[in-house]
Amino acid sequence: MRYDPAMLSFDVCNAARLRRDPRYDGRFFTAVKTTGIYCRPVCPAKQPLTRNVAYYPTAAAAEAAGFRPCLRCRPETAPFCPAWNGTRSTVARAMKLIDGGALDEGSVVDLAMRLGISSRHLARLFERHVGATPQQLARTQRVQRAKRLLDASNHTMTDIAFQAGFGSLRRFNAAFAELYGRSPSSLRARRA
């Protein structure tokens, strides 16, 4: 097997596996050639012979090589895997999609479907991890984009509203009035 430069050496991986060293959990995966299973270095299963193992930097690499995950140590939940972060990884994915404009034209239901969860569950996750709804986060990001455009460009208010992701000039003005207590054009006039 060829080793990635970022991958630990065979000897380091083997020593960590034999010690069941938790410091290496998630840094490499042990594939057992005789069983076709891959494990975490902390797996409590009986240790295979060294000649029967190969090491991979990720669970995906082990699966691509034809190995299946161990049912005891559940390598897909190793540290640094998305499943290890639990619901935080779902919220992070949602936030990335929102930042990319997922709620500028789509709905929260569409966003939740893209994430493979219900919109109610997405709302609960946002309440727990962000303290705001997905719509509130999207609105805040739109206002921040619009404020940067107001400060850095001489575009018309309509252009700024649509570039920032607002569906209408009315919503753009209402968001600024609610947040700043004044219109976007008055904020631009203050800058001048």
Side-chain angles (χ1 to χ4, degrees):
M1 168 182 171
R2 291 177 34 179
Y3 287 96
D4 183 317
M7 177 69 184
L8 301 167
S9 73
F10 184 92
D11 293 333
V12 170
C13 292
N14 201 50
R17 173 186 66 90
L18 292 172
R19 289 191 314 269
R20 290 190 169 96
D21 193 335
R23 295 175 298 169
Y24 290 88
D25 194 15
R27 294 185 59 198
F28 71 88
F29 295 86
T30 304
V32 184
K33 298 171 192 172
T34 53
T35 62
I37 294 174
Y38 73 95
C39 299
R40 295 161 58 178
V42 294
C43 186
K46 182 180 175 198
Q47 295 278 7
L49 297 173
T50 300
R51 70 173 180 257
N52 294 331
V53 299
Y55 297 106
Y56 292 92
T58 64
E63 287 177 18
F67 295 94
R68 64 183 187 279
C70 173
L71 295 177
R72 267 186 101 173
C73 68
R74 304 219 22 233
E76 69 277 8
T77 64
F80 314 115
C81 293
W84 183 261
N85 292 326
T87 56
R88 284 180 291 173
S89 64
T90 303
V91 172
R93 284 177 44 223
M95 290 175 71
K96 188 174 182 177
L97 290 169
I98 290 169
D99 190 42
L103 292 182
D104 292 348
E105 296 175 11
S107 68
V108 174
V109 173
D110 296 334
L111 175 63
M113 285 176 59
R114 285 177 71 179
L115 296 168
I117 59 176
S118 72
S119 58
R120 291 183 68 195
H121 186 55
L122 181 62
R124 283 192 297 269
L125 294 178
F126 263 74
E127 182 61 35
R128 183 183 328 145
H129 296 289
V130 180
T133 66
Q135 298 95 327
Q136 289 167 331
L137 178 67
R139 187 175 143 264
T140 299
Q141 289 180 342
R142 279 186 216 114
V143 170
Q144 289 171 350
R145 282 192 298 260
K147 181 72 169 82
R148 284 192 299 273
L149 287 168
L150 273 174
D151 292 341
S153 73
N154 289 322
H155 294 296
T156 66
M157 292 299 154
T158 306
D159 287 343
I160 290 173
F162 289 113
Q163 284 180 20
F166 286 94
S168 71
L169 190 59
R170 184 187 63 76
R171 286 190 179 165
F172 172 66
N173 288 325
F176 269 79
E178 186 179 330
L179 186 62
Y180 292 108
R182 58 187 62 188
S183 68
S185 54
S186 68
L187 286 171
R188 179 177 270 176
R190 267 185 94 202
R191 181 188 74 169

